[in-house]
């Protein structure tokens, strides 16, 4: 056997060249369209940064296995889904493709300006306008106006924070500060223009404890079937887990993220 052929992977080489070319073009300010095939769906992203192109458009659907299990096994075509922390829309778009086959709807929540702009563009180019509905607000402990601290101004980035520059318990130097409208989840869902969700995804980089503490009416409503949530367990200190148990939910599965005290956890109503 030729040893060089044993260790040489043409597909890996082609992928590496493609990513290098994409990074180069994006660094020169040339936007790229990236279409990802997920199950029977094709999802197109307009990317202006390598984070969008690689981490969001390409890696989202393989990196978070519990999230994908949730989408594939729980969400049906007539469901209403609330995606809190939608970023540029990777999961909102996939769920949107799925519920567009029925009467379902997705509310995509993203307060960061460049991500919100990209989210809207991705919704449009995937012909999901009216199915995936974006909101540029943040959820927290009360209805108020606050500051939103950006860890990065690169589209597709995350780890931003409300009130102070601290994400998942780690302080950072803010690259920009936005104004932001904060609301509680219970208050938002009480609006008659909003359809009550059957499923909720929460990925908010450390504010999840405040959100869960102020969604008690939402958790007690039996129309809500599942919650897919990223939990920083040191910040939660067991409070989030107890809140879900008290509301009649049980843990289905969890996945540790990046060898840290952060887990994606899927809860289902018992």
């Amino acid at each position: 056997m030729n040893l060089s052929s044993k260790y040489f992977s043409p597909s890996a080489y082609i992928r590496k060249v493609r990513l290098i070319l994409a990074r180069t073009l994006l660094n020169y300010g040339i936007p790229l369209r990236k279409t990802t095939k997920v199950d029977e769906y094709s999802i197109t992203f307009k990317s202006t940064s390598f984070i969008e192109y690689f981490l969001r458009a390409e890696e989202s659907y393989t990196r978070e296995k519990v999230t994908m299990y949730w989408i594939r096994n729980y969400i049906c075509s007539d469901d209403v889904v609330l995606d809190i922390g939608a970023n540029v829309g990777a999961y909102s778009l996939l769920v949107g493709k799925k519920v567009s086959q029925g009467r379902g709807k997705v509310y995509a929540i993203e307060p960061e300006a460049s991500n919100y702009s990209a989210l809207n563009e991705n919704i449009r180019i995937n012909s999901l306008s009216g199915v995936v509905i974006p909101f540029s607000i943040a959820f927290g402990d009360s209805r108020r106006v606050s500051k939103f601290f950006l860890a990065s101004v690169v589209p597709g980035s995350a780890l931003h924070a409300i009130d102070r520059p601290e994400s998942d318990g780690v302080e950072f130097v803010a690259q920009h500060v936005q104004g932001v409208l904060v609301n509680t989840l219970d208050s938002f869902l009480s609006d008659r223009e909003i359809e009550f969700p059957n499923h909720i995804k929460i990925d908010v980089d450390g504010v999840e404890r405040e959100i869960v503490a102020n969604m008690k009416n939402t958790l007690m409503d039996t129309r809500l079937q599942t919650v897919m949530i990223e939990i920083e367990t040191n910040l939660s200190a067991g409070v989030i887990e107890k809140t879900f148990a008290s509301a009649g939910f049980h843990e289905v599965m969890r996945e540790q993220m990046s060898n840290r005290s952060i887990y994606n956890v899927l809860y289902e109503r018992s």
Side-chain angles (χ1 to χ4, degrees):
M1 176 184 292
N2 187 327
L3 292 180
S4 62
S5 64
K6 177 180 179 181
Y7 295 104
F8 177 73
S9 169
S11 60
Y13 177 77
I14 292 170
R15 182 172 185 264
K16 185 175 182 179
V17 171
R18 175 175 58 79
L19 292 176
I20 291 172
L21 178 60
R23 186 191 291 272
T24 301
L25 293 172
L26 290 164
N27 285 343
Y28 276 102
I30 301 172
L32 299 177
R33 285 203 178 195
K34 163 71 176 172
T35 298
T36 304
K37 188 74 165 58
V38 187
D39 301 333
E40 67 266 39
Y41 309 108
S42 292
I43 302 171
T44 301
F45 295 79
K46 180 180 178 181
S47 301
T48 59
S49 75
F50 190 69
I51 293 176
E52 289 179 279
Y53 184 90
F54 178 67
L55 190 62
R56 305 306 174 194
E58 188 158 310
E59 291 286 294
S60 290
Y61 305 116
T62 58
R63 183 167 44 90
E64 297 194 11
K65 294 179 172 55
V66 174
T67 303
M68 291 301 296
Y69 177 86
W70 170 66
I71 293 172
R72 286 171 170 143
N73 292 278
Y74 286 91
I75 295 172
C76 300
S77 59
D78 291 332
D79 284 339
V80 177
V81 181
L82 176 61
D83 183 1
I84 304 172
N87 201 276
V88 300
Y91 299 119
S92 287
L93 296 171
L94 176 57
V95 174
K97 293 278 187 177
K98 192 167 186 178
V99 303
S100 67
Q101 299 175 345
R103 297 172 298 170
K105 185 173 294 183
V106 181
Y107 296 113
I109 311 300
E110 178 51 52
E112 198 276 328
S114 60
N115 289 343
Y116 184 68
S117 176
L119 170 64
N120 277 270
E121 180 67 6
N122 290 333
I123 292 169
R124 186 188 66 79
I125 64 178
N126 283 278
S127 301
L128 290 171
S129 295
V131 176
V132 180
I133 302 175
F135 287 87
S136 183
I137 60 174
F139 288 121
D141 57 358
S142 60
R143 188 171 186 175
R144 56 193 170 88
V145 173
S146 186
K147 293 179 179 179
F148 192 57
F149 295 87
L150 275 59
S152 170
V153 294
V154 177
S157 62
L159 301 176
H160 313 302
I162 303 169
D163 298 332
R164 60 188 181 277
E166 180 180 308
S167 180
D168 281 330
V170 179
E171 293 185 4
F172 62 86
V173 177
Q175 302 301 304
H176 181 59
V177 181
Q178 293 179 206
V180 67
L181 297 174
V182 183
N183 203 353
T184 68
L185 191 50
D186 280 347
S187 176
F188 177 77
L189 293 177
S190 69
D191 192 295
R192 67 180 63 185
E193 295 297 321
I194 303 297
E195 295 182 39
F196 192 86
N198 308 112
H199 310 280
I200 297 176
K201 170 185 159 289
I202 303 174
D203 184 353
V204 290
D205 301 323
V207 195
E208 57 271 9
R209 179 167 168 170
E210 289 81 358
I211 291 176
V212 171
N214 291 277
M215 59 179 288
K216 292 181 180 178
N217 292 340
T218 302
L219 287 174
M220 295 307 295
D221 193 313
T222 56
R223 288 175 293 178
L224 179 63
Q225 301 165 17
T226 68
V227 178
M228 180 72 237
I229 182 170
E230 183 183 270
I231 301 175
E232 209 297 338
T233 54
N234 291 331
L235 295 177
S236 172
V239 172
I240 292 174
E241 294 85 345
K242 290 178 182 177
T243 301
F244 279 108
S246 298
F249 286 80
H250 67 274
E251 180 180 317
V252 176
M253 61 176 65
R254 68 170 52 206
E255 174 184 22
Q256 187 175 17
M257 305 303 294
S258 304
N259 296 316
R260 297 181 293 166
S261 56
I262 300 173
Y263 293 82
N264 276 345
V265 186
L266 173 58
Y267 286 99
E268 180 183 13
R269 187 175 297 281
S270 299

